[in-house]
Amino acid sequence: CNAQAGSMASVTRRLAHLVQSVPQRAFTTSSGASVSSTLRGGLAAPRSRAAGVLPAFGVMMPRMQWAPMRQHTHLAPHEMHGAQTMYATTILCVRKGDQVVVIGDGQVTQGSFVVKDNARKVRTLQGGKVITGFAGAAVDALALFDRLEMKLEQYPELMRAAVELAKEWRSDKSLKRALNAVLVVADKDVSLSISGNGDVLEPTNGVCGIGSGGIYAQCAAMALIDVPGIGAEEVARRSMKIASDTCIYTNHNYVCMTLDTSKEGAKAEKKENP
């Protein structure tokens, strides 16, 4: 094009004349469709902005179509469990030998602020025969504890009661939307994690962790579980220390409940921080 052209109209007419004088050649797009495109010197005309400019000159260029951005979907926290649910706490259950231990930290976080450091997230049910821990909203977890205790009165076996609770939690839309928490429950026979998306999981190695620091504590406990001379409580405390040092939502103020599985009718005992 002549840089001395006086008007945009004259430049457009000259470009149209040049484009029409160039031979047409077919090429294939990435989608496999054959498109007739004007080529000059064996090079295709630039594709950027081609759909809006070059058609005025008689050039056939593929129109670029942009896929719309996928809208962000907001999932309830319990619907992301297993991916893993990121609750601002750490709860760990360790079963080794004749002991089962559930331990949890005491930190409560709201946004970027620590509002409490001695919350009690580990409790007992059935007069101390069942140990529970929760990650998530405290009110939701307490409501789930009440429902689990009612199920235990109907079905004395913990596994059956947990399955019935998960079925009710999953099928009832009001519960699924309102109760955002994940539970760990254990008795002398079984350890389970229960979530609102229908999961009732029993760990094969006796170790289960939930919450934002649960994966750190669980991995540490899995590494320590086979070390001879270390009991379940010691494994749990060492693992929780690693999680507390790693996860910013977990502190070193622990509540630890221990149940002796060798004694029939034994009740959980609360262990203070050493």
Side-chain angles (χ1 to χ4, degrees):
C1 295
N2 189 357
Q4 303 297 325
S7 65
M8 191 64 185
S10 63
V11 173
T12 304
R13 285 194 299 269
R14 293 185 182 185
L15 283 175
H17 176 73
L18 290 174
V19 167
Q20 290 175 359
S21 64
V22 178
Q24 301 288 322
R25 186 175 300 177
F27 74 98
T28 304
T29 63
S30 58
S31 62
S34 179
V35 179
S36 177
S37 173
T38 299
L39 303 178
R40 184 172 183 178
L43 299 176
R47 295 190 183 186
S48 60
R49 302 182 182 177
V53 178
L54 292 181
F57 307 145
V59 182
M60 301 298 297
M61 291 296 292
R63 182 175 296 275
M64 299 181 68
Q65 295 182 354
W66 300 95
M69 293 183 63
R70 184 170 60 89
Q71 294 184 353
H72 177 70
T73 55
H74 297 279
L75 299 178
H78 64 268
E79 293 176 333
M80 295 183 288
H81 180 60
Q84 166 86 0
T85 307
M86 300 306 291
Y87 287 114
T89 190
T90 300
I91 304 294
L92 178 66
C93 178
V94 177
R95 181 181 295 270
K96 182 178 181 181
D98 294 334
Q99 277 190 332
V100 57
V101 177
V102 177
I103 186 171
D105 75 303
Q107 181 170 313
V108 177
T109 309
Q110 289 183 352
S112 58
F113 299 96
V114 177
V115 296
K116 188 177 178 68
D117 66 351
N118 61 346
R120 185 183 172 194
K121 305 172 187 177
V122 178
R123 300 171 180 268
T124 59
L125 300 176
Q126 293 287 292
K129 296 180 180 180
V130 177
I131 312 175
T132 62
F134 71 89
V139 175
D140 295 347
L142 294 177
L144 290 170
F145 288 159
D146 292 339
R147 290 178 178 272
L148 178 59
E149 196 150 26
M150 288 189 292
K151 295 298 181 183
L152 285 169
E153 292 176 0
Q154 283 184 274
Y155 312 101
E157 184 183 1
L158 179 59
M159 176 67 81
R160 175 69 184 277
V163 170
E164 293 297 326
L165 174 64
K167 286 167 59 178
E168 181 178 344
W169 193 357
R170 176 69 172 175
S171 59
D172 193 324
K173 293 183 178 180
S174 61
L175 290 181
K176 184 178 179 181
R177 293 175 181 174
L179 300 181
N180 294 330
V182 180
L183 306 182
V184 165
V185 296
D187 65 358
K188 65 182 184 67
D189 298 318
V190 67
S191 301
L192 303 169
S193 67
I194 312 171
S195 69
N197 58 356
D199 292 331
V200 180
L201 305 177
E202 180 183 7
T204 56
N205 53 7
V207 178
C208 178
I210 60 173
S212 57
I215 189 64
Y216 310 125
Q218 181 174 335
C219 291
M222 290 171 63
L224 295 171
I225 194 73
D226 294 327
V227 176
I230 302 180
E233 183 180 351
E234 184 66 19
V235 170
R237 290 190 179 276
R238 291 189 184 185
S239 303
M240 281 295 294
K241 184 179 184 305
I242 293 174
S244 301
D245 294 340
T246 307
C247 178
I248 62 174
Y249 299 108
T250 305
N251 66 8
H252 293 80
N253 191 5
Y254 309 136
V255 175
C256 181
M257 292 284 186
T258 303
L259 181 64
D260 190 347
T261 59
S262 63
K263 299 178 182 178
E264 189 67 28
K267 297 182 179 181
E269 299 179 0
K270 181 179 179 181
K271 300 290 185 177
E272 301 292 339
N273 287 330

